[in-house]
Amino acid sequence: MSARIDLPQVRHMGRARLTAGLDRFQRLDLAAHTRVHPPLPRPTRDDVLDLAERVDLRGRGGAGFPFARKARAAVAAAGRTGTRPVIVVNGAEGEPPSAKDRMLLARAPHLVLDGACLAAAAFGAEEIVIGVAAGSPGEVSIPAALDERDLPCPARTVRLPERFVSGESGALIRGVNGLPVQPAAVKTRAAEGGTGGVRRRPTLLSNAETWAQLAVAARLGPEAYAAVGTAAEPGTVLLTVNRPAAAPLVVEAPFGTGLGDVLDACGLRPGDGVLVGGYHGAWLAPADAAGAALSRTGLAEVGGTLGAGAIVALPADTCPLGEITRVAAWLAGESAGQCGPCRSGLPDAAEALAVLAAGAGGPAVLDDVRRALGGAQGGGACSHPDGTARFVLSALDVFTRDVEAHVAGAGCGRPVLGVLPLPRDESARLEVDWSRCAGHGLCGVLAPGLVRLGPHGYPASTTVPVAPWQEHGARRAVNQCPALALRIRRPERAPGRPR
């Protein structure tokens, strides 16, 4: 394992728990880990379930589902079916503004593995599976950590595509099972096993921070664990605070800490608005953000959501609508494209937002955005349409003045600085050769969700990004174009980047 890992800096407010030792060590190998953290106890099954309930341990990947409830369901299903459960660590953090799980897997891998091994031993697990994003530091760090320690059962690392949808629990389990990494068309519960589990076994899945929190709680006990945080939400939480033109910070803070205090500690101000919860989260007005408490309850009181704990304060020198449009287009392309909201609703909303951002729309186009997102909510195979709708609709409410300026046609006059982080654009593009195009319109029939025709039958855009699920339609359009006016162009990949 390399001694140098290019990862976000780490800070803590109050006493460090998950981030303990990271001020002295770039990465905690087993020797450093045992110097920083006391020995891990060996609780029984009932001890682990009782501990998780007493500290109200909830998933830190975004949904906030009670860990004890999932664990009880998996244990019960294993007993009912005569099988042993599988423990899964979800480290496939595909959200650009979030870096906390990547940081843990790379810098404190043994703390995450402590939690997974503790549960595996207590529940008699058959296997531990750690899902990591391809090309992420965890792809090297976790196997190195597994080689250093004794394990209660076999363990393996599974490499998953670096895409937003890879972090969805159902998509991750499908990837572990060797299937396409996309949410299942029919929602199933991993804890029950069957088609929703790893090799049809009852599966207990949580994200990397949740497993690390379990290890901390087991060492401290419920009373000491609850000494920080709030009465309803004890303990600490990891936050990724994104900064313009600077690397993000991963901050550990007690639940209930003021959002304004966290921003101050990172040298930031609320600016024009603050995104909390990442790209499936919600925007807060500056005044609401400054006074909000960082907890599920505190954020809900001002219309926010904790989600994956990613925070972005939007400065006043960038165009809010332009920033939102960039992310909406990316989210539309990151979907699995297997249900109506993702195939139509999200692309329609992204296209309408682009028209508004260019100052070429009006009130009717704004209505189109709201209509497309409203139709996308509540009907998808996973939470992607709902999360995207929350991100965009809350932005329209917070950045009202900017939206009104673009609806009026003049726009806000500010450039789009790209403050909201996005990965390098590596999507294929469908290109139109105007010297050949004769306006047959066949491409619009073969790839209706990709090519939109103008009033005279010609494509409305010269280059169109192609999502993975749109590639089949794009190839059909290229192969069957009577004028041979279409081609698919793929970007050059950075040296060393995995294919």
Side-chain angles (χ1 to χ4, degrees):
M1 182 71 194
S2 171
R4 178 68 183 173
I5 305 172
D6 186 16
L7 280 174
Q9 300 173 36
V10 173
R11 293 184 184 176
H12 57 88
M13 302 181 70
R15 187 171 181 178
R17 289 182 171 184
L18 277 70
T19 57
L22 296 182
D23 56 341
R24 293 179 285 146
F25 300 95
Q26 179 69 7
R27 176 181 180 272
L28 297 176
D29 61 11
L30 186 59
H33 175 74
T34 55
R35 288 200 294 271
V36 171
H37 297 282
L40 187 69
R42 296 183 178 180
T44 66
R45 180 191 67 183
D46 290 341
D47 289 338
V48 173
L49 294 173
D50 180 65
L51 172 68
E53 284 187 343
R54 291 182 65 182
V55 302
D56 193 22
L57 179 61
R58 292 174 179 259
R60 305 301 175 89
F65 195 84
F67 178 88
R69 193 184 306 174
K70 285 197 297 185
R72 288 188 184 280
V75 170
R80 191 167 56 248
T81 58
T83 58
R84 296 163 63 192
V86 174
I87 303 296
V88 176
V89 178
N90 185 351
E93 192 173 42
E95 186 162 352
S98 184
K100 63 185 181 68
D101 286 346
R102 285 189 288 117
M103 184 280 295
L104 282 173
L105 293 178
R107 299 191 63 185
H110 285 287
L111 192 61
V112 177
L113 293 178
D114 279 350
C117 289
L118 183 148
F123 301 151
E126 180 177 285
E127 182 184 27
I128 298 171
V129 180
I130 305 97
V132 299
S136 69
E139 190 177 4
V140 176
S141 177
I142 289 298
L146 290 174
D147 288 341
E148 289 184 300
R149 61 187 294 152
D150 294 329
L151 300 167
C153 62
R156 60 188 169 114
T157 306
V158 175
R159 181 175 180 265
L160 299 160
E162 190 179 8
R163 297 195 64 223
F164 191 90
V165 74
S166 297
E168 197 271 340
S169 60
L172 186 147
I173 289 176
R174 284 173 57 85
V176 172
N177 287 334
L179 299 172
V181 184
Q182 62 186 41
V186 178
K187 295 179 181 179
T188 55
R189 293 183 178 179
E192 299 295 332
T195 58
V198 174
R199 299 191 319 279
R200 303 185 67 87
R201 302 294 195 273
T203 300
L204 178 55
L205 180 149
S206 281
N207 81 311
E209 185 191 345
T210 310
W211 291 114
Q213 292 283 2
L214 179 64
V216 168
R219 286 183 167 96
L220 293 175
E223 289 79 14
Y225 183 85
V228 300
T230 70
E233 299 176 49
T236 64
V237 61
L238 287 182
L239 310 163
T240 306
V241 181
N242 294 266
R243 303 177 295 174
L249 293 173
V250 174
V251 180
E252 182 179 14
F255 272 119
T257 302
L259 175 54
D261 294 334
V262 171
L263 294 176
D264 286 343
C266 297
L268 298 172
R269 295 292 181 268
D272 276 3
V274 180
L275 174 67
V276 180
Y279 292 162
H280 277 181
W283 287 92
L284 301 178
D288 291 334
L294 278 166
S295 66
R296 290 181 294 272
T297 302
L299 290 172
E301 290 175 352
V302 293
T305 177
L306 182 63
I311 299 172
V312 186
L314 199 69
D317 56 351
T318 190
C319 170
L321 188 58
E323 296 281 355
I324 302 307
T325 298
R326 291 174 57 249
V327 176
W330 181 79
L331 288 169
E334 284 293 295
S335 78
Q338 62 180 350
C339 59
C342 283
R343 294 182 69 89
S344 300
L346 301 189
D348 286 350
E351 182 179 1
L353 280 169
V355 172
L356 277 180
V365 178
L366 181 58
D367 290 342
D368 289 342
V369 175
R370 295 187 182 278
R371 187 179 304 109
L373 293 174
Q377 289 177 298
C382 68
S383 62
H384 187 57
D386 295 290
T388 302
R390 179 167 51 243
F391 168 82
V392 175
L393 293 176
S394 64
L396 297 181
D397 292 337
V398 168
F399 304 116
T400 305
R401 291 185 179 179
D402 185 72
V403 172
E404 289 175 349
H406 285 272
V407 168
C412 65
R414 289 175 284 183
V416 181
L417 300 179
V419 173
L420 297 182
L422 287 177
R424 180 177 179 267
D425 185 5
E426 294 188 347
S427 60
R429 290 188 175 270
L430 187 65
E431 293 188 337
V432 181
D433 183 346
W434 289 119
S435 66
R436 291 177 177 270
C437 183
H440 293 98
L442 182 60
C443 53
V445 176
L446 296 173
L450 183 61
V451 179
R452 299 182 184 278
L453 303 177
H456 302 294
Y458 289 86
S461 177
T462 57
T463 62
V464 183
V466 181
W469 54 272
Q470 294 174 314
E471 291 234 7
H472 177 69
R475 287 195 299 270
R476 288 184 63 201
V478 170
N479 294 336
Q480 298 185 39
C481 175
L484 303 178
L486 296 175
R487 75 181 184 109
I488 297 177
R489 177 175 59 82
R490 300 184 185 279
E492 296 182 4
R493 291 182 181 267
R497 186 169 181 81
R499 292 184 178 272

